[in-house]
Amino acid sequence: MTYQILNPETVLKYIRAHPKARDVIDVNAPLESAELSDGNLNFVFRVFEKANPERSILVKQGVPYLRVAGESWPLSPARAGFEARALELQHRFAPGLVPIPYWFDEEMSVNAMEDLRHHNVMRKPMVGRTRFENLGATIGDFLSRTLFGASDFGLEAKEKKILQTRFANTELCEITEDLIFTEPFEPALLDGKPNRNHFDPGIKIALERLQADLEIKAKVSSLKHRFMTVAQALLHGDLHTGSIMASDPDERGVSDIRVIDPEFAFFGPIGFDVGLFVANLFLNASAQAGHAPDDISRSAYRTYLFDQARECWAVFERGFRERFENANSISWHSSDFQDAFLLEILRDTAGFAGCEMIRRSVGFAHVYDVDSISDEAKRAEALETNLRIGSSLIRAHQHISSFGDIEGIVREVIET
Ligand code: SR1
Ligand code: MG
């Protein structure tokens, strides 16, 4: 099929005609579709057998623009190829923690994959304080498997270099460079590019103070430069709680958890993925100022979030150290080297988490956690909290020596 933008009608024709679809569903049976588009970039459809909706396929299509902005923000549909290649690798290193990829159709910019029909994107249930007890451990496991697997320690040196050339994800990296590292820290840009920040007037003064802080500016420049140049491993590249799905927790609070949407994948610094994930837990914790109905439930859920962040780091670090034992070269067996490398990741984690907390509060792409707080004063309180924690993490990141240091910085501002 030559490229055309799919809709709930044409996606049915597309599926009926695709030779690989018949491996998953009966394409001759009556089929139905539903549009599920939820993220900022793409269109997503579920196609299922009418008489047996359990038999379904998820179809995700990249269109030549950003879905939430429309044609005024052009974006190459080639991003679907980065997602396809990343998902294939993540599925190789962490099977069961990502959707099963079915096929990638380059001409149509379509990724077809396992339809996680019993799962929900985690962000909203977490704002409603649903507890997923295995969240931190699962994401820590996902991070150590995928980031070690697709690094110089897990891949042969030649394979990694060749792979890197297939992940020159220039357009989506530019979005991250602009939206996370540049625009939130500048009142106006010098290079004629638009500054897409938007923020609650209640935090104008705090933001002006932050944007005038030369120490913060220098540290963010250095984090941005690390993001652009330190090609440690193939990152997910956008690991927030909107990029994770979970089934309803069972009686022990345990769910099936899957990481989705790796279209921002590129070879970058490992701490970027870890930092984005923990920052999104902290963003939820601060937003509970405006969501939890009472002190007890607020405190309990914040404690849960800190536990998950700590557990994520612990499982990630343990998994990474275990994998070092079987690393592909004797060069990686020095325990001093391993300690130093993990410390570098931890410090990056703190710095990148700080940038994420700030950009989600004042930049182009906010989070539902904070934006959905209806009480103006409480929303401003959460936003100020994010700016304070973000600034402290950025300021202190090069002096962090344990995950407890990161937790300590956050807990100085967010009480449990
Ligand atoms: C222009 S895209 C805005 C944000 O959505 C994605 O999920 C990334 O987080 C990006 O920064
Ligand atoms: Mg996404």
Side-chain angles (χ1 to χ4, degrees):
M1 203 182 244
T2 47
Y3 186 82
Q4 56 171 276
I5 295 179
L6 293 171
N7 61 40
E9 282 289 303
T10 54
V11 73
L12 294 175
K13 286 192 198 131
Y14 173 76
I15 284 293
R16 284 191 203 288
H18 201 285
K20 289 200 175 149
R22 58 199 59 205
D23 296 343
V24 188
I25 59 173
D26 178 0
V27 295
N28 296 314
L31 300 179
E32 279 194 11
S33 68
E35 190 182 337
L36 308 178
S37 314
D38 175 43
N40 289 333
L41 277 75
N42 302 298
F43 285 85
V44 179
F45 303 94
R46 164 179 294 149
V47 176
F48 55 97
E49 291 179 19
K50 206 170 172 178
N52 188 2
E54 290 290 302
R55 286 164 61 86
S56 58
I57 298 178
L58 192 98
V59 177
K60 178 169 177 182
Q61 184 179 42
V63 294
Y65 51 84
L66 189 84
R67 188 183 72 83
V68 287
E71 288 173 41
S72 64
W73 189 326
L75 199 62
S76 163
R79 62 188 178 275
F82 292 103
E83 171 155 4
R85 292 187 284 280
L87 182 58
E88 188 191 317
L89 277 163
Q90 292 173 345
H91 187 249
R92 173 167 138 204
F93 294 123
L97 299 183
V98 295
I100 301 168
Y102 294 151
W103 70 83
F104 168 53
D105 179 340
E106 186 163 13
E107 214 171 341
M108 284 291 286
S109 300
V110 158
N111 278 294
M113 66 190 88
E114 181 183 11
D115 173 27
L116 300 169
R117 57 194 166 277
H118 298 299
H119 294 60
N120 292 303
V121 173
M122 298 190 86
R123 189 180 294 284
K124 285 187 182 170
M126 289 184 70
V127 169
R129 290 171 308 288
T130 301
R131 296 169 71 113
F132 299 92
E133 300 296 348
N134 56 330
L135 174 60
T138 306
I139 299 304
D141 187 32
F142 168 81
L143 290 168
S144 76
R145 284 173 190 274
T146 56
L147 298 173
F148 190 96
S151 72
D152 285 290
F153 316 128
L155 295 169
E156 287 306 321
K158 284 187 197 135
E159 189 189 355
K160 191 237 178 187
K161 288 183 185 69
I162 292 167
L163 206 55
Q164 232 175 298
T165 64
R166 303 185 68 213
F167 279 96
N169 198 350
T170 51
E171 258 189 310
L172 268 58
C173 282
E174 186 184 22
I175 288 180
T176 301
E177 289 150 20
D178 291 344
L179 296 189
I180 299 191
F181 297 108
T182 310
E183 295 175 18
F185 300 93
E186 300 294 339
L189 300 181
L190 297 177
D191 53 11
K193 280 182 164 181
N195 188 325
R196 292 156 289 195
N197 293 340
H198 62 104
F199 49 86
D200 199 298
I203 55 160
K204 190 166 183 280
I205 292 171
L207 179 61
E208 280 170 359
R209 206 177 311 122
L210 171 75
Q211 289 178 336
D213 187 322
L214 298 182
E215 186 194 353
I216 293 276
K217 265 194 207 307
K219 291 191 191 293
V220 172
S221 298
S222 144
L223 285 158
K224 175 175 175 178
H225 192 246
R226 285 185 68 69
F227 175 86
M228 295 170 80
T229 58
V230 178
Q232 290 171 339
L234 180 69
L235 308 188
H236 176 282
D238 194 27
L239 190 55
H240 53 83
T241 45
S243 298
I244 307 175
M245 294 182 82
S247 60
D248 288 342
D250 66 15
E251 63 289 349
R252 293 164 304 144
V254 172
S255 326
D256 182 66
I257 292 174
R258 311 284 189 100
V259 174
I260 60 168
D261 280 5
E263 66 237 321
F264 280 78
F266 79 111
F267 277 83
I270 289 172
F272 184 76
D273 271 0
V274 191
L276 253 57
F277 174 66
V278 297
N280 277 267
L281 300 184
F282 301 150
L283 285 163
N284 182 314
S286 86
Q288 290 303 333
H291 293 297
D294 53 59
D295 290 354
I296 294 176
S297 65
R298 180 165 41 249
S299 162
Y301 202 69
R302 285 176 168 171
T303 302
Y304 157 80
L305 291 165
F306 291 134
D307 289 348
Q308 298 308 311
R310 200 182 318 114
E311 181 73 356
C312 173
W313 174 261
V315 171
F316 164 76
E317 181 180 16
R318 194 162 59 238
F320 218 89
R321 285 188 187 278
E322 280 165 14
R323 288 178 173 81
F324 263 137
E325 298 304 308
N326 301 312
N328 59 24
S329 161
I330 192 74
S331 302
W332 318 132
H333 289 199
S334 148
S335 59
D336 287 347
F337 165 72
Q338 294 173 5
D339 290 346
F341 190 76
L342 279 153
L343 183 60
E344 191 182 329
I345 298 176
L346 181 72
R347 290 178 173 169
D348 282 350
T349 294
F352 292 131
C355 296
E356 171 74 355
M357 292 195 73
I358 291 171
R359 77 96 170 208
R360 291 295 191 184
S361 307
V362 301
F364 172 79
H366 292 195
V367 284
Y368 172 80
D369 313 43
V370 181
D371 281 2
S372 60
I373 301 175
S374 48
D375 181 305
E376 235 174 78
K378 288 190 173 156
R379 194 168 61 245
E381 182 191 325
L383 288 165
E384 287 225 30
T385 297
N386 298 340
L387 296 194
R388 274 181 69 193
I389 296 173
S391 315
S392 300
L393 287 172
I394 291 168
R395 246 186 226 110
H397 78 278
Q398 288 143 313
H399 306 287
I400 296 290
S401 58
S402 69
F403 195 81
D405 291 345
I406 296 180
E407 190 177 334
I409 288 172
V410 180
R411 278 178 179 263
E412 239 170 62
V413 188
I414 299 180
E415 285 170 19
T416 50

